[in-house]
Amino acid sequence: MLQAIRDRITGWIAWFIVGLIAITFALWGVDSYLRDDATAYAAKVNDEEISEAALSRAMQRQRLQMQRLLGEDFTPGMIDETLLRSSVLEGMIQKQLLITMAEEEGFAISDQLLAARIQAIPDLQQDGVFSRERYEMLLRQQGMSPTGFEMDLRTDLLVNQITSGFNDSIGISDRELERLYALQMQQREVEYLLVSAAQIAAGYEPDEEAIDRYFTAHQDDFRAPEQVRLEYLDISRRDVAAEIPVDEEAVRAFYEQNLQAYGREELRRARHILIQVAATANEAEVAAARERALQARERILAGEEFAAVAAETSDDPGSAAQGGDLGLFGRGMMVPEFETAAFALEAGELSEPVRSPFGFHLIEVTEIEAGDVKSLEEVRDEIVASLREFEVDNLFMDRAEILANASYEHPGTLGVAANQLGLETRESEWISRDGGEGIGRFPAVVAAAFGEEVFERGNNSDPIEVEPGRLVVIRLLDHRPAEPRPLEQVREDVVAALRDAHARSVAEQRGQALLDRLGTGAPMETLADADTVRYQAPVMIQRNVRDHPAAVVTEVFRLSHPRAGELTRSGLALDNGDYVVIRLNRVQEGDPARMTEAERQQLRQGLRSLYGAAEVNALLTSLRAGARVVIPEDERR
């Protein structure tokens, strides 16, 4: 089985590729200044250490993923930093357990496979071909070296040998697929009443007594949140790069050396006649083939159509039927002998016989699409940025080290680090635990601002990577505790809360009453009214339907199948305060006979992944039980 696993390395690399643009900058070496040597790691798995720097980068990737997923709905306060650290660290421990197992079992990733995977990454290609320059540029932008990136990718592929192997070794019977298909494609006929909380709220106006009473009972809900204001230093690769002088002569030299990258290459359309002759043919065979090519050339020069002669004499079956047409091509797409001749011809000009490894060609260029190149002025900024990238790595790392050392060695001030870096300290806006403007929008900054080191001890923070290639160090400048606000300031919020509470309560009361009336046999459609209760006529729905509230769909498929003579009904409150009364009329199972081959394969793969994940989890439990896992943070508690 292990050999079978070893032979299958597919699938998981996709996650690594998607994550390429979000890979965060590794501040190597800083952790050793900030922690005691005896505990300068987040965890140790047998003899392998997981560094705090690696854990920090992984946590930052998780924060960024959540932020991208939620968009404008995201706030830093959503993240429980303790829980995030615990879950990310556990994932890294599990990965290290799998890496150790793979190495012990003799699994390996060849250099050829690693190179092939890297060259297949679309973001590293230019015009469909792997670009070493683009590869190195993207890694520099992310603060990574090719060695580090390739090491990470190699370990991911190594782990994938195990995870994909479990999936591929699992058999799924047709009966399992049919049962799953019938369940997934199941349809249920439902009708429901929806009591609108919004309409109830719109018709409710609380009096002053109710407002005062609610405010008095819920003053904590209307307190001004606890806030901090921060002093901070900010360094970034972009700012460092902008300080690097670039010589005009170097810009021009770079432009001339990379002209192909700044324009569209010249393309040519040609047709040909091929007279085949083997590369190992003797002189007589070569001479005979050349003569045939010359005879065809004479016929064309005498007025015969090229396409007709090609159809009759060409030994290239792929193009002869098209009159010898080869379509548009650029340099590097044809064998060198053919390319040299084709790009030396004018449009409409017919070549002499051209010898290639395939035989003799008669070539006629039928169309020329001239290439165009951007001027130096058009690409100057791009070139300057590229040239600066070559130098920015070391300079930025030097400044990051100065920032880390000075802020650690002088924890009560940022002035020393600012002087050494030639920067001025900056001040943030007020930031609450839910974030704020400026650097307050970064979850890692908010977590540090209210953390033990900064908030309670008043020290400088560790360097915080807020974006790839951007570091900040913060310290507490001012603190504003949570405090009550007078009713005059929050009256609108209090009224809104009262309306919401009233609407939710009334909606549920009306919904329960409707549910009771439905139980007495009243037809559902007669229970609706024009003001607050909307009726949904019977409709067949599936699990993935989006035309109805998600909670309603979930509830419908939770209900038991209706029995003869019994009423299957339910009521539930939605998140927005609406109340829904549901009646399930009938259930119709999916028909496995309608399953397409594509659906069958998709279901089979899904089940394999599900069962494979269970197998991997069981393996990890076993590996964890037999491993020496040390987490210093747990031991200090």
Side-chain angles (χ1 to χ4, degrees):
M1 174 182 170
L2 291 177
Q3 182 61 47
I5 293 175
R6 197 174 289 118
D7 292 338
R8 294 173 173 85
I9 312 172
T10 57
W12 213 45
I13 182 61
W15 287 101
F16 193 89
I17 295 171
V18 170
L20 174 64
I21 305 305
I23 292 173
T24 52
F25 170 74
L27 187 59
W28 299 109
V30 169
D31 194 67
S32 63
Y33 290 101
L34 307 181
R35 298 183 181 273
D36 185 272
D37 288 343
T39 58
Y41 55 83
K44 181 183 287 188
V45 183
N46 296 320
D47 295 327
E48 298 294 330
E49 294 182 356
I50 298 173
S51 70
E52 283 286 351
L55 175 60
S56 177
R57 294 195 303 274
M59 290 174 63
Q60 180 68 350
R61 285 197 292 270
Q62 289 290 329
R63 295 188 193 98
L64 290 172
Q65 288 173 5
M66 181 178 291
Q67 192 168 357
R68 285 195 295 269
L69 180 65
L70 296 178
E72 295 180 356
D73 295 330
F74 174 81
T75 60
M78 292 178 175
I79 297 178
D80 183 327
E81 289 294 322
T82 302
L83 180 60
L84 177 65
R85 177 185 173 90
S86 176
S87 62
V88 171
L89 181 58
E90 181 60 30
M92 297 177 76
I93 291 171
Q94 292 178 354
K95 180 178 178 180
Q96 184 57 52
L97 289 170
L98 291 175
I99 291 172
T100 301
M101 173 190 168
E103 292 173 343
E104 290 176 350
E105 293 290 343
F107 289 29
I109 302 298
S110 69
D111 292 341
Q112 292 81 0
L113 175 60
L114 181 65
R117 290 306 175 103
I118 292 174
Q119 291 172 7
I121 298 175
D123 285 323
L124 304 182
Q125 296 177 352
Q126 187 168 346
D127 298 327
V129 179
F130 174 75
S131 168
R132 182 75 189 183
E133 292 77 13
R134 182 169 178 79
Y135 173 51
E136 294 177 349
M137 180 188 72
L138 285 176
L139 290 184
R140 283 196 304 271
Q141 289 176 354
Q142 301 303 320
M144 294 192 73
S145 68
T147 300
F149 173 78
E150 290 161 15
M151 185 181 299
D152 286 345
L153 179 54
R154 191 185 294 272
T155 58
D156 280 340
L157 289 172
L158 194 64
V159 169
N160 188 57
Q161 288 186 339
I162 298 174
T163 56
S164 63
F166 273 106
N167 291 349
D168 293 340
S169 64
I170 292 173
I172 306 295
S173 69
D174 288 340
R175 183 171 178 79
E176 286 179 283
L177 292 178
E178 290 170 359
R179 286 203 303 267
L180 180 59
Y181 181 84
L183 187 62
Q184 283 194 342
M185 302 305 291
Q186 184 186 95
Q187 297 185 72
R188 296 191 168 202
E189 184 182 87
V190 61
E191 54 185 316
Y192 61 84
L193 297 166
L194 187 146
V195 183
S196 172
Q199 289 182 317
I200 294 171
Y204 174 68
E205 192 65 40
D207 57 32
E208 288 301 316
E209 182 181 350
I211 293 173
D212 289 336
R213 186 168 58 249
Y214 188 91
F215 176 71
T216 301
H218 298 86
Q219 284 194 32
D220 286 346
D221 294 342
F222 302 100
R223 294 168 66 90
E226 181 180 29
Q227 294 178 306
V228 295
R229 206 155 55 86
L230 305 173
E231 181 183 32
Y232 67 98
L233 286 174
D234 185 341
I235 66 170
S236 69
R237 287 170 54 86
R238 182 180 60 186
D239 292 341
V240 170
E243 299 174 13
I244 298 174
V246 176
D247 182 76
E248 181 63 27
E249 185 176 338
V251 173
R252 182 169 297 279
F254 188 95
Y255 173 75
E256 293 174 352
Q257 292 168 9
N258 296 273
L259 279 175
Q260 281 189 324
Y262 301 120
R264 183 172 61 85
E265 65 174 334
E266 178 183 328
L267 299 177
R268 295 200 165 209
R269 189 184 194 100
R271 51 187 178 180
H272 82 142
I273 294 171
L274 171 64
I275 307 300
Q276 283 186 333
V277 60
T280 57
N282 58 41
E283 291 184 8
E285 291 171 330
V286 172
R290 183 189 297 275
E291 182 59 29
R292 285 182 57 200
L294 288 171
Q295 290 174 2
R297 186 174 189 276
E298 291 301 322
R299 290 172 61 183
I300 295 169
L301 293 176
E304 289 191 52
E305 285 290 334
F306 188 104
V309 178
E312 179 184 336
T313 64
S314 180
D315 294 329
D316 179 6
S319 67
Q322 283 75 45
D325 184 41
L326 297 172
L328 282 168
F329 55 88
R331 294 186 183 276
M333 298 177 65
M334 300 295 184
V335 294
E337 300 86 352
F338 188 102
E339 177 184 298
T340 299
F343 278 87
L345 295 172
E346 299 293 336
E349 185 179 356
L350 181 65
S351 74
E352 296 286 345
V354 176
R355 178 77 186 275
S356 82
F358 302 104
F360 287 98
H361 305 263
L362 291 178
I363 307 169
E364 182 183 54
V365 173
T366 58
E367 181 182 349
I368 299 176
E369 288 191 5
D372 53 7
V373 179
K374 293 180 181 178
S375 69
L376 175 57
E377 289 305 315
E378 291 178 289
V379 297
R380 180 182 300 278
D381 291 344
E382 180 182 342
I383 292 175
V384 168
S386 296
L387 290 173
R388 282 173 171 162
E389 280 294 330
F390 292 124
E391 300 183 41
V392 72
D393 290 343
N394 290 336
L395 184 55
F396 181 68
M397 287 299 294
D398 288 344
R399 295 196 177 187
E401 187 173 356
I402 292 171
L403 177 65
N405 290 345
S407 58
Y408 173 71
E409 293 168 359
H410 304 275
T413 178
L414 288 176
V416 175
N419 289 336
Q420 292 183 10
L421 292 168
L423 298 174
E424 292 186 3
T425 58
R426 303 167 68 181
E427 297 181 3
S428 75
E429 301 294 329
W430 286 102
I431 299 170
S432 72
R433 294 180 186 270
D434 288 330
E437 299 296 322
I439 63 170
R441 72 184 188 276
F442 298 115
V445 169
V446 176
F450 288 92
E452 180 180 353
E453 196 69 25
V454 175
F455 187 74
E456 296 181 13
R457 298 182 180 178
N459 291 332
N460 297 331
S461 72
D462 295 347
I464 303 167
E465 185 181 30
V466 294
E467 295 173 318
R470 181 183 175 192
L471 296 172
V472 299
V473 170
I474 65 173
R475 66 175 290 100
L476 185 64
L477 183 64
D478 200 357
H479 170 242
R480 191 158 61 189
E483 58 184 5
R485 289 186 290 179
L487 177 59
E488 290 73 20
Q489 289 185 9
V490 297
R491 175 178 293 275
E492 290 185 5
D493 293 337
V494 173
V495 171
L498 269 170
R499 284 175 177 158
D500 181 70
H502 172 79
R504 289 174 182 273
S505 175
V506 172
E508 184 168 359
Q509 291 173 13
R510 291 185 185 178
Q512 290 288 346
L514 292 170
L515 192 61
D516 292 341
R517 290 181 63 188
L518 183 64
T520 64
M524 181 171 276
E525 64 271 21
T526 65
L527 301 179
D529 63 49
D531 295 327
T532 59
V533 183
R534 176 172 64 84
Y535 171 61
Q536 169 61 58
V539 59
M540 295 293 287
I541 65 173
Q542 289 182 278
R543 298 175 191 273
N544 60 351
V545 69
R546 298 192 178 187
D547 297 335
H548 305 273
V552 172
V553 176
T554 299
E555 180 70 8
V556 167
F557 281 89
R558 187 193 64 81
L559 295 174
S560 302
H561 288 213
R563 296 181 180 179
E566 295 184 4
L567 179 65
T568 301
R569 59 198 169 100
S570 178
L572 76 155
L574 303 184
D575 289 342
N576 65 355
D578 292 347
Y579 196 90
V580 182
V581 176
I582 299 169
R583 173 172 177 169
L584 176 62
N585 295 329
R586 63 189 179 94
V587 175
Q588 179 177 304
E589 300 293 337
D591 182 6
R594 303 183 64 180
M595 181 167 38
T596 67
E597 185 58 30
E599 290 172 327
R600 182 179 296 274
Q601 293 303 320
Q602 185 177 15
L603 284 179
R604 190 183 302 277
Q605 186 57 45
L607 281 177
R608 280 178 174 167
S609 298
L610 181 65
Y611 295 158
E615 294 285 349
V616 171
N617 285 335
L619 172 64
L620 286 167
T621 299
S622 175
L623 293 175
R624 181 70 182 265
R628 300 185 308 278
V629 178
V630 178
I631 303 177
E633 187 176 48
D634 290 347
E635 294 183 344
R636 289 194 291 266
R637 290 173 181 169

